[in-house]
Amino acid sequence: MRVLLVGAGGVGTAITRIAARRKFFEHMVVADYDPARAEAAVAALGPGETRFSACRVDASDEAAVTALLAERGCDVLLNATDPRFVMPLFSAALAAGAHYLDMAMSLSYPHPERPYEECGVKLGDAQFEQAAEWEEAGRLALVGMGVEPGLSDVFARYAADELFDEIEEIGIRDGANLAVEGYEFAPSFSIWTTIEECLNPPVVYESGRGWFTTPPFSEGEVFDFPEGIGPVECVNVEHEEVLLIPRWVDARRVTFKYGLGDDFIGKLKALHALGLDGTAPVTVPGPEGPVRVSPRDVVAACLPDPATLGERMTGKTCAGTWVKGVKDGAPREVYLYHVVDNQWSMGEYGSQAVVWQTAVNPVVALELLADGSWSGSGVLGPEAFAPRPFLDLLTAYGSPWGMREQ
């Protein structure tokens, strides 16, 4: 297997560090718009690691990515960029005859008249519209294969296959007790993506009704997270699992709730009120004349790079899937979860907990594709595959998952 990894930020760099310990691939090309980032990610692996190389590519340039795949003989494109670049990379992989894997999906657009009641363009719609083309080409686009979405979806399929006869509700619940010393506001993941997820109308699925939306930060609940994290208030947030799980798993209701906290929610609301969450360029004065810039990109540039926060960060992050239903005629509730301690991930890999937890799952998926444990064609989510090989291999990577009876 020859892999083109596009994106050498925090998650992309963590991917290289995790993959370097595995033998399933022949070569990984690390490409980034900033060649220095790609070169740094490769150099950090040491001179003895010759299976990695670095180069520059513009993720928005479909033709350039297609040409790079062909030039380097890569048969898989792994997308570690933000969701703006999903579609050009997705299309480039198909054009080059390569398989494709991402950790997020194509962007959504709210309903123009009823944004908090009805879906407009849903997450992933643009990709699923091309599913027939991928099937005809005999190529696989494995979408939403990070931690959330990704591992959380694997948990949902595992619960349906092995733990329940009927499922009433599947709820992804994400919480942490992470703290970053020295910053009043320092998101542990891409602020661009965080704004997109948290300020868009959240999507909920109910059988018989389908997908619908609610106002941002709705339906608050306190969820008790394991391994010392404890109770965290969680709210509805737009997320890919709600769009993926119902396609393969029979559940009467699917939700995603994120533990944000009042302070974080307040800052996001302030950004929205000021128009600083916008992606359309605005004109601002510059030393050489007017400059066009996206307000959200300015916010991202003003905040610390999440990949650099590990040394100042303490605590744990938890991603998991809560499932309620019936097994052998009796009610059952479980929480399937994966916890990463920042002290461990920094000590073991030099990557902070949130980016490491995101990065390990696509590497596990690549290994399953390489050895044939997972295979398929078309546009598929993690739920389309047998969950047990993934969960076993994740444990073999030294990062076990857990299950708590509720």
Side-chain angles (χ1 to χ4, degrees):
M1 174 182 282
R2 293 181 63 85
V3 180
L4 173 61
L5 169 64
V6 183
V11 173
T13 297
I15 285 171
T16 64
R17 294 171 181 175
I18 296 164
R21 302 190 184 189
R22 309 299 295 184
K23 304 299 183 184
F24 66 87
F25 65 98
E26 177 186 344
H27 193 81
M28 182 176 289
V29 180
V30 183
D32 196 276
Y33 186 79
D34 179 356
R37 291 207 310 179
E39 291 161 4
V42 172
L45 302 175
E49 181 51 86
T50 60
R51 293 179 300 159
F52 293 80
S53 59
C55 68
R56 181 188 183 280
V57 76
D58 182 347
S60 69
D61 189 338
E62 179 183 332
V65 177
T66 302
L68 182 60
L69 283 162
E71 175 191 328
R72 299 299 179 95
C74 295
D75 50 324
V76 179
L77 189 159
L78 173 53
N79 176 3
T81 64
D82 73 54
R84 287 174 291 181
F85 304 109
V86 163
M87 288 313 295
L89 295 175
F90 178 80
S91 299
L94 181 60
H99 302 294
Y100 170 85
L101 194 153
D102 65 27
M103 289 163 274
M105 294 163 66
S106 59
L107 291 171
S108 65
Y109 298 93
H111 191 280
E113 287 98 36
R114 294 165 55 85
Y116 303 133
E117 292 88 22
E118 298 181 29
C119 295
V121 175
K122 301 188 298 299
L123 291 167
D125 275 358
Q127 291 172 287
F128 282 112
E129 286 170 2
Q130 298 184 30
E133 296 174 48
W134 283 83
E135 289 179 22
E136 290 168 8
R139 293 293 178 267
L140 171 64
L142 174 49
V143 298
M145 191 59 256
V147 61
E148 290 175 341
L151 177 57
S152 51
D153 304 73
V154 173
F155 283 149
R157 176 63 187 269
Y158 174 74
D161 285 359
E162 300 195 25
L163 304 179
F164 290 85
D165 299 322
E166 299 176 26
I167 294 177
E168 178 182 333
E169 182 170 353
I170 295 174
I172 313 306
R173 300 293 184 263
D174 179 302
N177 61 359
L178 295 170
V180 182
E181 180 186 358
Y183 290 99
E184 289 189 21
F185 187 51
S188 58
F189 201 69
S190 161
I191 188 61
W192 201 101
T193 303
T194 301
I195 289 172
E196 184 74 17
E197 292 175 349
C198 295
L199 292 178
N200 275 352
V203 181
V204 174
Y205 173 84
E206 292 181 357
S207 60
R209 183 176 178 181
W211 288 290
F212 61 94
T213 57
T214 73
F217 315 120
S218 58
E219 299 183 2
E221 67 174 61
V222 175
F223 192 85
D224 186 19
F225 289 91
E227 298 194 21
I229 295 174
V232 178
E233 185 173 7
C234 298
V235 294
N236 279 337
V237 168
E238 181 192 48
H239 230 253
E240 290 87 350
E241 292 95 326
V242 180
L243 287 312
L244 283 170
I245 289 171
R247 296 174 187 269
W248 287 279
V249 177
D250 187 14
R252 290 196 283 276
R253 180 175 166 89
V254 182
T255 59
F256 180 98
K257 294 189 180 183
Y258 195 9
L260 295 172
D262 290 341
D263 181 67
F264 198 100
I265 289 172
K267 287 182 168 65
L268 290 174
K269 287 180 175 178
L271 290 175
H272 179 64
L274 294 169
L276 294 175
D277 59 328
T279 58
V282 298
T283 302
V284 298
E288 298 178 5
V291 177
R292 298 280 287 168
V293 61
S294 158
R296 195 183 301 184
D297 287 340
V298 173
V299 172
C302 291
L303 291 173
D305 179 352
T308 67
L309 297 176
E311 296 291 348
R312 293 172 172 264
M313 186 182 290
T314 57
K316 300 177 181 179
T317 183
C318 179
T321 303
W322 163 73
V323 187
K324 178 181 180 181
V326 175
K327 178 66 174 178
D328 297 328
R332 189 180 196 187
E333 283 185 54
V334 303
Y335 182 58
L336 301 155
Y337 63 89
H338 184 252
V339 171
V340 177
D341 187 319
N342 187 73
Q343 183 178 3
W344 174 85
S345 65
M346 285 298 297
E348 186 72 15
Y349 285 90
S351 295
Q352 56 105 319
V354 176
V355 299
W356 189 91
Q357 188 181 45
T358 303
V360 67
N361 295 286
V363 181
V364 171
L366 282 176
E367 184 160 348
L368 293 175
L369 293 172
D371 70 18
S373 297
W374 279 10
S375 63
S377 62
V379 179
L380 303 177
E383 302 88 346
F385 301 92
R388 177 57 74 175
F390 188 99
L391 297 175
D392 289 346
L393 188 55
L394 179 64
T395 300
Y397 271 52
S399 190
W401 55 283
M403 184 178 82
R404 180 181 70 191
E405 294 280 351
Q406 297 289 90

